[in-house]
Structures are given as structure tokens and as C-alpha cells.
Amino acid sequence: MEPVNPPNGPSADIGLIGLAVMGQNLVLNMNDHGYQVVVYNRTSARTTEFLNGPARDTNVIGVETIDQLVAALKPPRRIMLMVKAGRPVDETIRLLTPLLDEGDIIIDGGNSYFEDTIRRTEELVRKGLRFIGSGISGGEEGARYGPSIMPGGEVSAWPHVKNILRSIAAKVADGTPCCDWVGSDGAGHYTKMVHNGIEYGDMQVIAEAYHLMRVGAGLSYKEMESVFSEWGNGLLDSYLIEITTDIFAHTSADGTPTLEKILDAAGQKGTGKWTVISSLQLGYPMTLVAEAVYARVVSALHDQRAEASGVLASGVARSGTISGLNKGDFIQAVHDALYASKIVSYAQGFMLLQAAAEEYQWDLDYGRIAQLWREGCIIRAAFLDDITAAFARRPDLPSLLLDEFFVEAIRNALPGWRTTVVAAVESGIPVPAYSSALAFYDAYRSGRLPANLIQAQRDYFGAHTYERIDRPRGEFFHTDWTGTGGPATSGSYSA
Ligand code: 6PG
């Protein structure tokens, strides 16, 4: 079969460029919802395979050139790019731009860096075109049957894509789609980036529970499956807990757990790292996600770890095993550590979104963002309803940790959380996410931290000046600590 089902004039509702698995599934999802989609892929063999395979007996049109794609679309043209983030997106836009008319819309549905989206929105608006940078989460399955969609960019494009995007999106229990306009230029891709950072954190807090239960308490895969299955019906009800339960249950042909055969070196495509970089730039703590990114990095130092495991002492009596705790109590403690750490991670994620909204002048609706993540995406979880409720109680909530529900949730989880971190440290099992979340929590609730000493040291060696507790903020002082310094001071600016 030829890749071209010649379109009958401009009849298609939307075009899609990039027929990798996410692109194909989004096309089939749109087709299911009654939209005619015209598709183009750089290698037309893939278009042919798609038309002969998954798209057989659909209304999907396949074309061999970008010109044919543009010609097949009704005005204003809507073209979704599902190509690799970075240069391929710019290159595709470069090819498309001269073929489009004023008001036509390009939607980038990949995991693009938000600053690229800010730039592309401006560049295309200058050319009379409209650009949307949309986060799409949910993997293959989500794309096919209902992803979470986070569009941002040129707002005048929204009414033209709203119906299509909302129809293909996942829906929450009352039918509301997990798709809404997030904000101008890079707001959609930024929100997706934070979603992915939180995804890294969620995966790490789960991985730490697995490590503690398997290595620390010696639970079998069957036992872990049953613990996770129970957790998935409670406070931790979420997609990632659900798939972890399935993973524990999965066995290879030889009857052993499939998980045991997987190399413990984690990969990453960069969105977690971007989240942490942005948090450093904005001066907001994303400590748990940072630890999750670094945990993947450390895991990838596989050969070094193999060597170190032979020479580095643990300093614990019974290396790697948790002693002195009854199994049931220990499992409950780990549950509480996971839950409390997850709360800290989301609190940090929403603090970062708030900081970004201020920096980039986005009018973000935090309760609504939590609902966009409620279904369809990788971090979907019952817990997101509690976040929406918290922002409904107080829209300008500075941190979820200050909301009454989470104050109480953490109060209840704290004993188990501390017990878990202590037991892990005593047993030599790394729990970077649980312990960094606890360190953040303890710092955040401290009325006084030792930063006075940091300020004194900075002033001592570099005359960087300090503020005083008995004087208004913004007044800076310098002490001649050695009696030999002059009166000159360094600037008091903060990066
Ligand atoms: C999603 C996911 C997805 C992400 C993968 C891989 O929301 O559907 O976040 O966008 O690309 O999960 O991420 P890493 O390779 O960085 O783990």
C-alpha cells in the first residue's frame, strides 16, 4: 500500500508529524474521537507500516511530504509535532513555517525544554503563527486511551485545539478532562517538567521501600507484592504503586522474579535534571528530586560500585539487615516514611511552580494542575485530590506543608519516618530520598538554623556583611573579626 491516501482537499482536522509510539497512539486516540488526522513521518516506510497496521480501517490519512500534510488541513491548520525534543523540533518548525498561513497553529507535544518553548512561542508569534508547547504524560497507554495534557503557549490558539485535546485526554471521576490551559509560553512544558521531576521522586521513594524490604528485612517477592497491593488501596493509591505491585509479581520463564535479573543501573532522559537545575536557578529547594536524580547517577557508576563493594567497610554489625524491629511494624514504618517523603516532594514541587510563576509571569492554578495530574499521567494518585483541596482552602498557600491536612498527615507519619531513616542508617542501606526529605522538613520547621554562622564566616573571610536579629531586614553590618581588617565591605547582593 502506498503511504498516500490522497486527501480530498483540505479535509483533515489535525496533522501529526512523528510516528513513534506516542505519535501513533495519539493519532489513533484522535481518530477514535471522530477527528480526521493526517500524518507524516520523515521515513515514509513507517507511515506505510502504520497505515497498514494499527491505522488500518481508520480515517487516518498518510502523506509523503510536509507540503501534502499542510495541503490536507482545514484552516486554521493545527499540526502536532511528536518529534524528539531539541533540534528536531526546530528543524520541523523551520520546514513548516513557510508553508503555513497567518493564524495556523503548531503544537509541540514532546518533552521540550521550557525555555525553548518560550523562544519558539515568541518567534512564531512574530511570524503571525501560533505555537503551543504541551506536556503530554501517560506513556504509550495514556497516549492511546487518555493522557494528561498540559498545554501552554499562545493563548489565542487554545479555543482552536481545546475540543480535540480535551476529548482525547484522561478524565477524572466526574468526567472533567485532565487537560486545561496552563499558561503563556513555556508554562505547559514547565509544568510537565515538574511532573517528571516529581515522577523521579516518586520512583525513588518506592525504590527505597523495595531496598529496605528486600535487603533490610528479607521480604520475599510474594510478600512485597502483597504489601504493595495493600498500600495501593490506601493513602498511597497511585499508578506507580500499582505497576510496582505487578513488577514484583512478574516471573521469568525459569520461574525467578524478572526484577532480580535487571541490571541496577538507572537511565534518564533529562527532565528530572532540568527540574533540579531550574530549582537551583530560582533558589527553591527540590532536594528530594535532586537526590532521586543523583541516585540514578550513582546507580549508573556500576563498575565503581562493584569495586567499592569489595573494599569499603559498612561499619555496621550485620551489614545490610534491619535488626530489632518486628516485621509488621517495620513495614508500617516504611509506609509512613514513603508517604511523608512524598508529601515533602510534592510540597517542594508546588513551591517551585509558584517560584516559576512569579519569575516567568505565569498565572498558574495549582489546584487545577493537581487535577491535570489526577488521571492519565505517570504520577496519577488519589493523593492529588488532597492537594487540590489544600489550594482550595488557601489559594496562596506558600507550601503544602502548611496546610492543615498535611500538617496532620506528617504528624502521624513522623514516628515511622524517623524510625525508618534511623534503621536504614544503622543498617547501611541508603535512603537518600527519605533522609533528605526529613532533613528538609526539620530545617523548614526550625525557627532558627545555623545560617548565622555561615553569615559570620562569610563576613570574616570576605567582608560579605550580615543582617542582625535585632535590626530591620535589609540593613547590613560588618564586623572586624580579627581587629586587623579595614572598614570596606563586599556587596550584600544574593544570587
Ligand atoms: C510521562 C513520562 C515520560 C518520560 C519517561 C522517561 O509523563 O509519560 O514522564 O514523559 O519521558 O518517563 O523519563 P526518563 O527516561 O527520564 O526516566
Side-chain angles (χ1 to χ4, degrees):
M1 183 183 175
E2 287 294 303
V4 183
N5 275 336
N8 196 7
S11 65
D13 298 300
I14 185 163
L16 189 137
I17 298 180
L19 288 175
V21 64
M22 289 291 285
Q24 291 194 11
N25 282 353
L26 286 170
V27 171
L28 296 174
N29 190 349
M30 289 174 191
N31 179 77
D32 284 353
H33 285 87
Y35 294 100
Q36 184 170 55
V37 194
V38 53
V39 300
Y40 165 81
N41 193 70
R42 205 158 49 96
T43 334
S44 43
R46 179 165 288 185
T47 312
T48 310
E49 274 168 36
F50 179 57
L51 292 176
N52 287 336
R56 182 185 279 283
D57 301 328
T58 65
N59 287 327
V60 176
I61 302 168
V63 292
E64 277 181 318
T65 66
I66 290 193
D67 297 58
Q68 289 169 333
L69 177 119
V70 169
L73 286 162
K74 292 193 261 193
R77 299 184 185 92
R78 297 167 285 201
I79 301 167
M80 182 178 265
L81 314 185
M82 291 304 294
V83 300
K84 200 163 171 268
R87 201 173 303 165
V89 174
D90 282 318
E91 182 54 19
T92 314
I93 291 173
R94 193 183 64 75
L95 295 173
L96 267 174
T97 310
L99 308 174
L100 298 180
D101 292 323
E102 190 167 346
D104 284 350
I105 299 160
I106 298 176
I107 307 149
D108 172 18
N111 266 333
S112 289
Y113 187 51
F114 75 98
E115 287 191 355
D116 287 339
T117 304
I118 293 176
R119 169 179 57 80
R120 289 168 187 146
T121 308
E122 282 169 10
E123 284 171 3
L124 287 171
V125 163
R126 250 185 275 124
K127 291 179 178 153
L129 300 174
R130 297 184 275 196
F131 187 68
I132 291 179
S134 181
I136 301 182
S137 175
E140 284 175 46
E141 181 84 1
R144 180 66 186 88
Y145 299 108
S148 158
I149 307 180
M150 295 152 255
E154 168 50 38
V155 69
S156 70
W158 176 231
H160 300 281
V161 298
K162 189 175 171 175
N163 290 345
I164 300 185
L165 296 184
R166 285 167 73 97
S167 73
I168 64 164
K171 313 284 181 301
V172 296
D174 70 0
T176 310
C178 295
C179 170
D180 215 342
W181 189 250
V182 178
S184 60
D185 52 57
H189 272 140
Y190 194 92
T191 303
K192 174 60 169 45
M193 178 190 79
V194 173
H195 163 283
N196 279 27
I198 289 175
E199 173 185 305
Y200 275 56
D202 278 359
M203 292 166 78
Q204 179 62 24
V205 294
I206 291 174
E208 290 178 14
Y210 160 57
H211 199 174
L212 286 165
M213 290 194 296
R214 182 77 188 124
V215 177
L219 262 67
S220 67
Y221 279 85
K222 205 95 225 101
E223 284 174 306
M224 290 191 294
E225 182 197 339
S226 119
V227 168
F228 266 64
S229 159
E230 202 174 301
W231 287 2
N233 288 317
L235 292 173
L236 298 177
D237 176 357
S238 61
Y239 170 71
L240 285 168
I241 291 282
E242 187 188 312
I243 66 165
T244 307
T245 314
D246 285 353
I247 290 169
F248 288 149
H250 200 278
T251 50
S252 308
D254 64 3
T256 58
T258 307
L259 190 52
E260 288 282 283
K261 293 206 166 64
I262 297 180
L263 186 77
D264 52 327
Q268 50 183 318
K269 297 210 175 72
T271 44
K273 184 175 74 179
W274 294 346
T275 309
V276 178
I277 291 171
S278 176
S279 80
L280 288 168
Q281 282 166 341
L282 295 176
Y284 267 78
M286 280 301 274
T287 55
L288 190 143
V289 174
E291 288 295 351
V293 173
Y294 283 131
R296 292 194 188 191
V297 171
V298 173
S299 79
L301 300 175
H302 201 264
D303 294 349
Q304 287 188 41
R305 288 194 292 112
E307 184 180 342
S309 70
V311 290
L312 298 185
S314 73
V316 297
R318 290 197 305 140
S319 181
T321 52
I322 306 281
S323 53
L325 276 172
N326 141 322
K327 207 190 257 185
D329 290 349
F330 180 64
I331 290 169
Q332 183 59 42
V334 174
H335 169 278
D336 294 350
L338 196 165
Y339 181 51
S341 302
K342 187 174 160 97
I343 293 172
V344 166
S345 180
Y346 282 69
Q348 294 187 336
F350 277 91
M351 285 164 81
L352 181 64
L353 283 172
Q354 285 167 320
E358 197 171 320
E359 175 72 18
Y360 300 105
Q361 290 165 20
W362 296 325
D363 184 19
L364 301 183
D365 179 339
Y366 306 104
R368 185 75 188 107
I369 287 173
Q371 286 305 293
L372 297 186
W373 296 343
R374 179 65 183 84
E375 294 296 341
C377 68
I378 306 295
I379 66 169
R380 60 185 180 261
F383 158 86
L384 288 155
D385 290 340
D386 301 323
I387 295 179
T388 301
F391 283 110
R393 277 189 283 277
R394 188 177 162 191
D396 65 344
L397 188 65
S399 163
L400 287 171
L401 293 177
L402 297 174
D403 172 72
E404 61 194 48
F405 174 86
F406 291 109
V407 166
E408 216 34 49
I410 294 229
R411 190 195 304 280
N412 295 332
L414 256 175
W417 190 10
R418 290 198 191 282
T419 299
T420 303
V421 172
V422 169
V425 170
E426 283 180 342
S427 324
I429 295 179
V431 285
Y434 297 170
S435 54
S436 74
L438 187 53
F440 170 78
Y441 178 78
D442 281 332
Y444 192 66
R445 64 177 191 83
S446 292
R448 189 149 169 87
L449 286 168
N452 48 334
L453 177 57
I454 307 285
Q455 287 297 75
Q457 290 166 332
R458 293 177 70 234
D459 191 53
Y460 187 113
F461 63 65
H464 291 288
T465 73
Y466 54 84
E467 292 167 283
R468 294 181 57 93
I469 56 172
D470 53 358
R471 301 299 289 265
R473 293 294 306 263
E475 267 186 54
F476 290 88
F477 299 87
H478 170 58
T479 292
D480 179 4
W481 296 91
T482 58
T484 58
T489 61
S490 163
S492 59
Y493 70 91
S494 251

